Amino acid sequence: MSEDASTVFVVDDDESVGRALGRLLHGAGYEVAVYTSAAEFIDCTQPDGPACAVLDLAMPGMDGLELQARLADENRAIGVVFLTGHGDIPASVEAMKQGAVDFLIKPVDESHLLQAIEVALNRQKQIIASRSHSAALRQRFNSLSGREQEVLRLVVDGLRNKQIAYELGISEKTVKVHRSRVMHKTGARTAAQLVRLFVAVDNIDN
């Protein structure tokens, strides 16, 4: 499966519903995997690309809301759309509070279901892109040597080259060399941009 492929998981204990949804979603061009229980789905491999789970609400064992909470606890990048024949207002409110894209009632209009799935997948694409950007940014800062990290922190604190040299007990010329390497490795073009990138990395770590 390519990293760009969109996967839709169907989790419904009614096998006939699973088969029908599988045919619909295959026809719409998605990679599809159908499961008859939440436990079976939990054991599946997380796809590399964007993914959405179409969940039934009332299932034996772990129900749909519990499965949604489990996915959140495990930080899985999978959008959630509920499709159930047993919906009620409290359940729908809880599902939406926990981040579900939609809460649909069977029988469902196919266009409404496909639209909800597209919204969920687009959200996941944005999340994946954000995580990829954060990982790349973190990697850039991890490439700094110990001395370069010391210089970086003092630059962020607002110290000038001469002050940094005094703090670290090195020459101002050496500070300039380290500072140039920091700028190159992080991709920052100005001190202000370097500070913004540093703050962004700090937010990622925290």
Side-chain angles (χ1 to χ4, degrees), residues 5-184:
S6 295
T7 304
V8 180
F9 298 104
V10 176
V11 187
D12 196 309
D13 61 316
D14 187 328
E15 293 185 10
S16 63
V17 171
R19 286 194 298 270
L21 289 176
R23 288 193 297 269
L24 170 66
L25 297 171
H26 271 301
Y30 298 114
E31 298 279 354
V32 183
V34 179
Y35 300 92
T36 56
S37 72
E40 185 183 8
F41 170 60
I42 284 294
D43 290 335
C44 77
T45 302
Q46 170 81 40
D48 294 323
C52 169
V54 178
L55 307 181
D56 190 13
L57 180 63
M59 295 184 288
M62 187 187 305
D63 67 22
L65 289 174
E66 291 170 331
L67 175 54
Q68 182 187 24
R70 176 76 173 269
L71 293 176
D73 288 342
E74 295 182 358
N75 199 30
R76 295 205 196 186
I78 299 177
V80 171
V81 173
F82 277 92
L83 177 60
T84 179
H86 306 280
D88 55 43
I89 292 177
S92 64
V93 169
E94 180 63 22
M96 301 302 282
K97 281 174 59 179
Q98 296 302 320
V101 170
D102 212 336
F103 193 95
L104 304 173
I105 304 299
K106 301 172 184 174
V108 67
D109 183 290
E110 292 181 358
S111 64
H112 289 169
L113 175 60
L114 293 174
Q115 183 179 23
I117 289 171
E118 270 303 296
V119 171
L121 290 171
N122 285 333
R123 284 188 188 176
Q124 296 313 305
K125 289 175 184 177
Q126 293 173 0
I127 291 172
I128 290 171
S130 176
R131 288 181 177 179
S132 177
H133 173 74
S134 297
L137 186 59
R138 176 71 270 178
Q139 187 175 19
R140 275 188 264 164
F141 277 81
N142 284 343
S143 71
L144 299 177
S145 69
R147 179 63 85 186
E148 288 164 356
Q149 290 183 22
E150 290 176 333
V151 170
L152 166 64
R153 291 185 179 279
L154 293 174
V155 169
V156 170
D157 287 341
L159 274 65
R160 298 181 180 276
N161 289 343
K162 189 173 183 178
Q163 295 170 310
I164 295 173
Y166 177 79
E167 287 287 333
L168 299 180
I170 58 179
S171 70
E172 188 173 350
K173 182 178 180 180
T174 301
V175 170
K176 290 179 180 178
V177 170
H178 287 309
R179 185 165 179 164
S180 175
R181 289 174 180 168
V182 168
M183 301 293 281
H184 175 72

